[in-house]
Amino acid sequence: MPTIALVNGPNLNLLGQREPGMYGARTLQQIIEGIQQAFPDHHFPHFQSNHEGELVDAIQRFGAESKGIVINPAAYGHTSVALRDAIAAVRVPVIEVHLSNIYAREGFRHTSITGGACAGVISGFGEEGYHMAVGHLLFHH
Ligand code: DQA
């Protein structure tokens, strides 16, 4: 069964209650269940952390165990060379997702350090962005 890993960064454990006008009313658990329902024949191991090093560990681990990785690095996408290097180090394709359109927001969100190491970046499509990324990894890689 093809495996696509889902990695979510800091504060995304608060989805549902965190700025719902910006990030939607659904929890991370609901988003993950929605992906599993949309792609019932595939397996989606998931990891969320508020800690940068744990996210590096997850990328390395999933890079060895999965067909691809969908990552929402959250704020670390704007700051973390370590996450970028981890993405560049793994052999499987990685797609970056942001729920909000980072280019329509504050200037400090306009740069994605991690995005340049990814196969592609999807930003501004809410929860659907995760589905777009998973679909691409499953059917085009
Ligand atoms: C986010 C966008 C980031 O700028 C922000 O720090 C987040 C969430 C998004 O999904 O829109 O935490 O990655």
Side-chain angles (χ1 to χ4, degrees):
M1 183 186 282
T3 292
I4 301 292
L6 309 173
V7 177
N8 284 281
N11 301 305
L12 295 173
N13 56 312
L14 298 181
L15 285 179
Q17 42 174 305
R18 173 193 181 206
E19 300 182 72
M22 180 67 68
Y23 299 121
R26 303 244 297 161
T27 65
L28 185 57
Q29 190 58 37
Q30 289 171 327
I31 290 174
I32 292 163
E33 285 169 10
I35 294 167
Q36 187 63 72
Q37 283 165 10
F39 303 94
D41 297 333
H42 302 90
H43 180 51
F44 298 97
H46 171 249
F47 182 76
Q48 187 278 330
S49 178
N50 296 324
H51 303 276
E52 187 175 10
E54 289 187 357
L55 293 164
V56 170
D57 290 342
I59 292 165
Q60 292 184 7
R61 186 171 68 249
F62 287 136
E65 294 172 358
S66 63
K67 176 182 162 75
I69 299 172
V70 175
I71 185 169
N72 184 343
Y76 287 140
H78 311 303
T79 63
S80 177
V81 176
L83 279 189
R84 182 193 171 108
D85 287 351
I87 291 167
V90 296
R91 297 232 170 105
V92 299
V94 180
I95 296 184
E96 176 165 317
V97 170
H98 296 280
L99 293 158
S100 63
N101 179 356
I102 58 174
Y103 302 103
R105 302 183 62 192
E106 303 97 321
F108 61 84
R109 298 186 201 275
H110 295 183
T111 300
S112 173
I113 289 178
T114 45
C118 292
V121 179
I122 297 168
S123 181
F125 295 91
E127 181 177 350
E128 189 190 348
Y130 287 92
H131 291 239
M132 294 160 76
V134 166
H136 184 82
L137 289 172
L138 286 176
F139 305 124
H140 299 283
H141 278 277

